[in-house]
Amino acid sequence: MSIRKRPNIFRGINVERLLDLIPILIALFAAFIVASFLLIALDANPITAFSAMFEGAFGSQNATAETLVKATPILFVAIGITIAFRGGVINIGGEGQMIAGALGAITVTLMIGESLNWLVIPLALFAGFIAGGIYGGIAGFLKAYFDVNEILSTIMLNQIAVQLMNFLLNGPLLDPESGGFNNIPKTARISEVAQLPRLAIFDFFSRTRLHYGLIIAIIIAIIIYVLLWRTTIGYRIRAVGLNQRASRYAGINVERQIVLSMFLAGGMAGLAGAVQVLGLNYRLQTDGSPAGFTANAGFNGIVAALFGGLNPLGAIPASTFFGALLVGAQKMQREVGVPASMITAINGLIVVFVVSSQIFILRRTRRRVGEAIGQMDDNHTEKLKEGEN
Amino acid sequence: MAETVLTNKRRIELLEMRGIVKRFPGVLACDQIDFTVKSGEVHTLLGENGAGKSTLMKMLYGLYQPDEGEIRINGKVASIRSPQEAIQSGIGMIHQHFMFVPSLTVAENVALGLKTSFGSMLDLKEISKGLSALSDRYNLKIDPDIPIWQLAVGEQQRVEILRAIYKGADLLILDEPTAVLTPQEVDDLFRILNQMRQDGHALIFISHKLHEVLAISNRITVLRDGAQVGMIDVEEATKQNLAEMMVGRPVVLQYDIPPLERGSVRLELNQVSARSNRGNLGLNDVSLSVYGGEIVGVAGVSGNGQQELAQVIAGLRPIEAGTITVNGQNISGKSPEKMNSLGVSYIPEERMVDGVIKEFTVAENLILQDHWREPFANNGLMLNFNVIQDACRQAIKDYEIKTPSTETPIKSLSGGNIQKLVLARELARNPQVLIAAQPTRGVDIGASEYIHQRILAERETGTAILLISEDLDEIRALSDRIIVMFEGRIVGIVERKDVNIQALGAMMAGVH
Ligand SMILES: Nc1ncnc2c1ncn2[C@@H]1O[C@H](COP(=O)(O)OP(=O)(O)O)[C@@H](O)[C@H]1O
Ligand SMILES: [Mg+2]
């Protein structure tokens, strides 16, 4: 054991941490076992059911593409939730922030039209980020300066966002060519220059709905990873998230960090909304419920963030997993005839098992460190001193 | 039950632990320990943190099973497989953390633990009566009918003792009982222990505070890293030889302090008042100057304004009135960050809450205030990992911090090593003014000595140092001047040469 220099681009990823994946995999396995019993109780063959699920999620290029399409907004939200959690704020407002972001993006897109050519895409994404960020920032501001519980405020802001969306889509933003109030409320279709291109890798995924939003999300995951662990901004966010008193002692403006984490978290969810508009639907439309637009990505992102170990890079596989679960569920439902709520149940099981396994990992880490210190003796400290040159 | 307890005939005349070995994964916690205790004596277990004291006692109390060795009571081999069996054999243990239902009365809490009673009215009256009798006998001053939540920590500890005696403990293990007590409460505890000793109880006292050990023990067994270093009678024991046995090398308890070379005034408080968290004037009209190259000790029972004093200087607490100047510059009401850049370093009293972020690594904690400054960060944005790592390795080397790596979460280090890191960080700034609040509380003797040497070295470089401590020995060993605080005011100032311990004690108690 030595104090070693670690070439750390990806600080925090090493073999020991990879070993930590094992309990997660065991937890997943256990969740599927319990789910199997539920399926048997419903007179379905679990093997058939799960293979149908896997088929549905990854069985073809199109299935895989759909999985990734579903995973994209979840990933954005999960990155944002990760930032908030690290900053000690619990953000339940992903849904509302997604809507705010989508509204920001569509407004800017429709206003610009075709006049700026491809520049419209970065501008729209930026608008989505800012709109979502401000929406999240409100909750952060209320928490930091007026001690308003962020769980309550974000839930209420979700409601407000839905009402705002319904109002705008039935009025100012209503598609002038649409049939009016009887139809699904929706905006006009965005122009072709504003649409995120489809993502085809050589021949792969051509003729699917997969779009560049996924790439953007992955790049952002990496950026946020760097932000959190390689910059002073991330240092302050994490410091405040762990210990406000020590942060104050260190001269950090705690209130500002809380607003900032919520702004960034909202901004990420805002991007999720913007990307749904620019890459998938090419317009904003809703059936009047929040899930009508977000497909619950604002909530699924919370689970994916936890599942990804509150690490933006971990959120990538975690979101893919939940995308697969959602897409595969439809196939399973069709093939085996179990209710779709079964998927919600499996979701819940996974959360319970994974959270338990996280506790296990925590204990293991503690023990590991304890042993390392136990093995140390004064000789070791001596060696340390000599081995420095 | 109470009648049997009030006789002088004790069930445990002699308890012997022979060749006790206990291993934990990767740690040999107890290695061939022999330990005996007789009726009517206090046998102390002395050793630094992690020496194996608690582990040894937990085996006696049935919480752990020894891997090797045997326990004999009055010469007969006894197997103690659970705390219930320990209690049946007449062994009681007072842990550091008390186990009570706060809303219930003392008597009800005692009743809860008794197998025979289900807390019926009749039983409770009996218990209450028995407890009163015992309380009187041992001068515990506990009213059995008062709810636990109304009691102070020291009183709760006496309830634990009362409960153990009531359950028939003839041998009582006290695991670091003084750690949670004020000096006054320690005196009370010792009076109780003396009474119990006279009554023929066998007592095992655990501590790492030398003056306490010398005050209460008949015999002292010293453990170090799981091994038995030696056993001596109190008559042969001195602070010096005990400290050496504990640490395993000669330890300096009396420092050679070079004569005072006073520089200019570095820190000045002029009629400063500030509110405490409770809203009253925790700091009341305090005026004070600290000169370069001088250590001013602040003595006092904790809670008399010392914390507020440190916090106003560090910029962590707003002041109500008065001015604070550093090097002649008025800094009243400035932010902690501003104080830092003016060269004020603060070693906070509650190091685990204020001084470090437990979950952060050793390296991350080293840059707490300066994380955004050159050279730790480029342009205030990108953290410069190689520089941070190098600085951390240097600090580990210079300050002899025991840690597996720079990337270890700091909470898994011992208190002494954490404090050394805080010290390394605060001194790296080359401070003009250093405020050290309880710098060695909960820290091993070895590390304490090291920290003291560092503070003295800082004095040599001309820093103005305010040393706040409840430990009078520490204050006396280091300070050029001592001020005594009582109820938010300075009630006395004493020069090093005029120190009189009785007078200090009286001032601390508010008698002046
Ligand atoms: N339950 C346990 N599991 C593993 N190691 C332990 C356990 N309890 C104590 N230890 C280790 O045994 C050694 C002695 O600890 P302890 O008896 O608590 O010391 P002390 O009470 O003298 O401070 C330490 O190295 C400690 O880390
Ligand atoms: Mg102990």
Side-chain angles (χ1 to χ4, degrees):
Chain A
M1 200 179 10
S2 69
I3 296 191
R4 56 182 180 262
K5 228 181 193 137
R6 205 193 277 165
N8 41 17
I9 312 252
F10 293 114
R11 208 170 138 245
I13 296 188
N14 58 32
V15 182
E16 296 238 309
R17 294 261 174 113
L18 284 181
L19 280 181
D20 285 345
L21 279 179
I22 292 172
I24 292 198
L25 295 179
I26 294 173
L28 271 185
F29 186 71
F32 277 108
I33 297 280
V34 177
S36 301
F37 282 110
L38 290 179
L39 285 165
I40 291 169
L42 289 169
D43 270 344
N45 179 340
I47 298 182
T48 331
F50 287 130
S51 44
M53 192 169 194
F54 189 79
E55 276 284 320
F58 296 108
S60 63
Q61 279 189 28
N62 196 50
T64 311
E66 279 305 306
T67 292
L68 295 175
V69 165
K70 273 264 188 289
T72 301
I74 297 179
L75 175 53
F76 274 116
V77 174
I79 297 168
I81 300 290
T82 298
I83 302 172
F85 255 108
R86 291 283 176 187
V89 194
I90 298 169
N91 177 20
I92 312 289
E95 294 275 295
Q97 293 146 14
M98 258 182 93
I99 292 172
L103 286 170
I106 192 80
T107 309
V108 165
T109 313
L110 294 178
M111 266 163 47
I112 294 176
E114 299 194 17
S115 58
L116 289 175
N117 215 343
W118 59 269
L119 254 180
V120 64
I121 293 182
L123 286 175
L125 288 175
F126 186 68
F129 173 75
I130 294 293
I134 290 176
Y135 211 66
I138 294 172
F141 183 80
L142 291 175
K143 178 186 172 67
Y145 294 98
F146 299 100
D147 208 17
V148 176
N149 183 309
E150 75 275 22
I151 299 179
L152 295 180
S153 66
T154 48
I155 289 176
M156 287 195 277
L157 284 165
N158 283 345
Q159 294 304 318
I160 296 172
V162 177
Q163 299 309 324
L164 186 69
M165 171 170 70
N166 288 340
F167 165 74
L168 289 175
L169 291 196
N170 282 308
L173 285 175
L174 179 67
D175 182 2
E177 283 160 37
S178 104
F181 287 90
N182 291 334
N183 287 346
I184 295 177
K186 62 184 180 199
T187 66
R189 192 179 164 90
I190 61 178
S191 64
E192 214 141 294
V193 288
Q195 297 172 6
L196 277 177
R198 298 279 188 218
L199 175 64
I201 304 165
F202 301 111
D203 251 357
F204 241 71
F205 299 133
S206 54
R207 288 195 302 280
T208 69
R209 298 202 298 165
L210 189 61
H211 55 84
Y212 266 89
L214 177 68
I215 302 295
I216 299 175
I218 291 175
I219 292 173
I220 298 240
I222 296 170
I223 293 176
I224 296 299
Y225 179 86
V226 172
L227 179 95
L228 280 176
W229 278 282
R230 303 282 296 178
T231 71
T232 55
I233 299 173
Y235 181 95
R236 283 191 288 269
I237 289 178
R238 288 184 298 122
V240 169
L242 290 169
N243 184 340
Q244 294 197 1
R245 273 175 60 176
S247 299
R248 268 185 227 287
Y249 161 76
I252 296 172
N253 183 330
V254 169
E255 287 74 24
R256 201 185 293 163
Q257 305 310 316
I258 292 175
V259 178
L260 177 66
S261 356
M262 271 306 283
F263 175 81
L264 290 174
M268 292 300 128
L271 279 176
V275 162
Q276 287 302 84
V277 168
L278 302 179
L280 199 62
N281 305 331
Y282 302 142
R283 56 163 42 107
L284 183 52
Q285 63 183 36
T286 176
D287 60 4
S289 74
F293 166 66
T294 64
N296 282 330
F299 291 125
N300 285 327
I302 301 175
V303 185
L306 290 172
F307 195 37
L310 295 179
N311 179 324
L313 300 180
I316 299 172
S319 306
T320 311
F321 177 77
F322 281 101
L325 221 50
L326 292 171
V327 175
Q330 294 161 2
K331 174 110 173 168
M332 177 166 106
Q333 196 184 352
R334 262 180 276 127
E335 298 255 304
V336 200
V338 292
S341 52
M342 190 53 211
I343 292 306
T344 320
I346 295 180
N347 244 328
L349 284 171
I350 290 172
V351 173
V352 169
F353 278 94
V354 169
V355 169
S356 324
S357 76
Q358 294 288 351
I359 293 170
F360 176 83
I361 293 173
L362 222 72
R363 294 234 178 96
R364 197 172 87 88
T365 314
R366 273 203 206 124
R367 199 169 54 236
R368 209 192 285 146
V369 172
E371 280 166 19
I373 289 184
Q375 283 158 10
M376 285 181 39
D377 47 23
D378 295 50
N379 289 345
H380 167 65
T381 320
E382 295 303 318
K383 266 181 247 143
L384 265 183
K385 285 187 211 157
E386 289 154 19
E388 277 307 317
N389 25 40
Chain B
M1 193 169 247
E3 304 88 82
T4 61
V5 182
L6 287 173
T7 68
N8 276 357
K9 183 76 191 136
R10 298 288 159 198
R11 281 179 293 163
I12 299 183
E13 290 292 331
L14 174 66
L15 183 129
E16 301 162 278
M17 299 180 88
R18 294 276 173 233
I20 302 284
V21 175
K22 180 72 186 173
R23 295 180 195 90
F24 291 116
V27 192
L28 183 55
C30 293
D31 184 11
Q32 293 288 344
I33 310 283
D34 294 325
F35 182 84
T36 65
V37 59
K38 297 185 295 246
S39 158
E41 75 162 350
V42 176
H43 193 159
T44 291
L45 265 182
L46 176 67
E48 304 221 90
N49 290 323
K53 308 179 296 288
S54 296
T55 304
L56 186 67
M57 287 304 113
K58 282 177 183 166
M59 286 186 277
L60 189 52
Y61 193 56
L63 286 164
Y64 295 150
Q65 296 307 308
D67 294 332
E68 288 171 33
E70 60 180 23
I71 299 173
R72 288 166 177 269
I73 296 176
N74 302 334
K76 283 217 303 277
V77 175
S79 91
I80 304 169
R81 280 165 308 209
S82 68
Q84 285 74 31
E85 291 188 13
I87 292 165
Q88 276 160 23
S89 321
I91 299 171
M93 183 160 176
I94 311 294
H95 299 273
Q96 271 191 38
H97 302 284
F98 311 136
M99 275 113 72
F100 294 118
V101 181
S103 56
L104 297 184
T105 65
V106 171
E108 284 165 340
N109 268 287
V110 172
L112 275 181
L114 297 177
K115 276 220 180 86
T116 48
S117 129
F118 291 90
S120 71
M121 293 308 282
L122 193 85
D123 270 342
L124 270 181
K125 274 206 188 113
E126 276 298 302
I127 291 171
S128 188
K129 242 172 68 190
L131 289 174
S132 286
L134 284 175
S135 173
D136 289 347
R137 179 172 185 87
Y138 294 104
N139 207 3
L140 293 165
K141 299 186 203 115
I142 295 293
D143 174 359
D145 299 319
I146 214 164
I148 292 288
W149 64 266
Q150 291 185 0
L151 301 178
V153 174
E155 292 173 308
Q156 291 191 18
Q157 187 177 64
R158 298 207 294 271
V159 175
E160 281 280 25
I161 295 173
L162 185 59
R163 172 155 77 178
I165 303 175
Y166 186 82
K167 285 184 185 173
D170 292 326
L171 183 156
L172 194 61
I173 306 163
L174 299 112
D175 193 350
E176 306 213 16
T178 58
V180 290
L181 301 182
T182 63
Q184 183 57 44
E185 288 173 323
V186 171
D187 290 345
D188 292 344
L189 175 68
F190 283 2
R191 265 192 288 279
I192 294 162
L193 297 185
N194 271 324
Q195 180 64 43
M196 290 178 70
R197 166 162 52 194
Q198 275 171 26
D199 266 17
H201 286 271
L203 299 169
I204 304 175
F205 176 73
I206 301 184
S207 176
H208 52 233
K209 294 184 191 153
L210 300 176
H211 63 272
E212 292 175 1
V213 170
L214 289 172
I216 191 72
S217 318
N218 297 98
R219 290 191 287 162
I220 300 152
T221 289
V222 183
L223 300 184
R224 188 195 327 138
D225 292 335
Q228 186 164 6
V229 185
M231 200 270 293
I232 52 177
D233 291 333
V234 73
E235 290 78 20
E236 302 155 24
T238 62
K239 277 190 186 180
Q240 193 64 41
N241 64 14
L242 287 179
E244 283 187 30
M245 286 167 84
M246 240 168 111
V247 183
R249 60 175 169 79
V251 175
V252 182
L253 294 174
Q254 203 83 51
Y255 303 103
D256 278 332
I257 302 181
L260 175 63
E261 283 181 38
R262 258 194 186 185
S264 53
V265 178
R266 286 276 175 86
L267 171 71
E268 191 161 24
L269 276 75
N270 195 357
Q271 299 187 310
V272 174
S273 296
R275 299 206 174 273
S276 74
N277 289 344
R278 270 170 283 134
N280 58 333
L281 276 188
L283 197 62
N284 199 345
D285 198 23
V286 166
S287 298
L288 165 73
S289 306
V290 188
Y291 295 79
E294 176 191 43
I295 299 180
V296 174
V298 180
V301 178
S302 100
N304 277 291
Q306 300 95 318
Q307 194 169 7
E308 288 80 2
L309 175 66
Q311 287 174 344
V312 293
I313 303 171
L316 285 163
R317 185 174 289 276
I319 57 176
E320 292 281 313
T323 53
I324 305 174
T325 54
V326 170
N327 280 333
Q329 195 176 342
N330 186 344
I331 52 153
S332 325
K334 290 280 186 340
S335 69
E337 199 244 295
K338 180 78 187 163
M339 294 299 200
N340 257 310
S341 48
L342 282 171
V344 178
S345 273
Y346 173 34
I347 297 170
E349 172 176 344
E350 291 181 57
R351 95 177 63 90
M352 295 312 285
V353 189
D354 292 316
V356 297
I357 295 179
K358 290 195 298 237
E359 297 82 356
F360 268 17
T361 66
V362 177
E364 283 173 323
N365 271 297
L366 185 71
I367 59 170
L368 204 53
Q369 295 99 337
D370 292 330
H371 66 272
W372 55 276
R373 289 197 171 95
E374 302 278 351
F376 294 144
N378 298 333
N379 310 316
L381 181 65
M382 296 306 291
L383 290 173
N384 219 330
F385 266 92
N386 291 335
V387 175
I388 296 168
Q389 295 287 321
D390 286 345
C392 189
R393 271 190 292 271
Q394 193 66 41
I396 290 172
K397 200 170 103 184
D398 291 350
Y399 287 79
E400 299 168 14
I401 300 168
K402 272 198 214 173
T403 169
S405 82
T406 56
E407 299 300 294
T408 308
I410 199 150
K411 67 177 163 202
S412 42
L413 271 53
S414 73
N417 283 304
I418 294 173
Q419 190 69 319
K420 283 181 185 174
L421 183 99
V422 173
L423 195 70
R425 183 181 71 206
E426 297 309 314
L427 297 188
R429 211 172 289 126
N430 283 326
Q432 299 279 311
V433 175
L434 173 67
I435 303 150
Q438 318 291 354
T440 59
R441 181 191 276 175
V443 170
D444 292 345
I445 292 198
S448 295
E449 181 203 351
Y450 184 85
I451 291 168
H452 288 159
Q453 301 283 17
R454 280 283 176 171
I455 291 176
L456 287 170
E458 203 55 34
R459 171 182 180 270
E460 285 302 283
T461 68
T463 308
I465 299 168
L466 195 64
L467 171 70
I468 300 173
S469 177
E470 274 187 273
D471 180 349
L472 267 186
D473 290 343
E474 176 170 57
I475 295 262
R476 285 173 60 208
L478 301 179
S479 311
D480 297 300
R481 257 191 308 157
I482 299 174
I483 65 173
V484 182
M485 291 195 69
F486 182 73
E487 291 184 345
R489 293 175 186 273
I490 293 179
V491 293
I493 302 186
V494 194
E495 296 291 326
R496 167 194 287 287
K497 55 180 176 14
D498 310 324
V499 170
N500 169 334
I501 196 90
Q502 269 77 34
L504 274 183
M507 281 192 268
M508 284 167 68
V511 187
H512 53 276

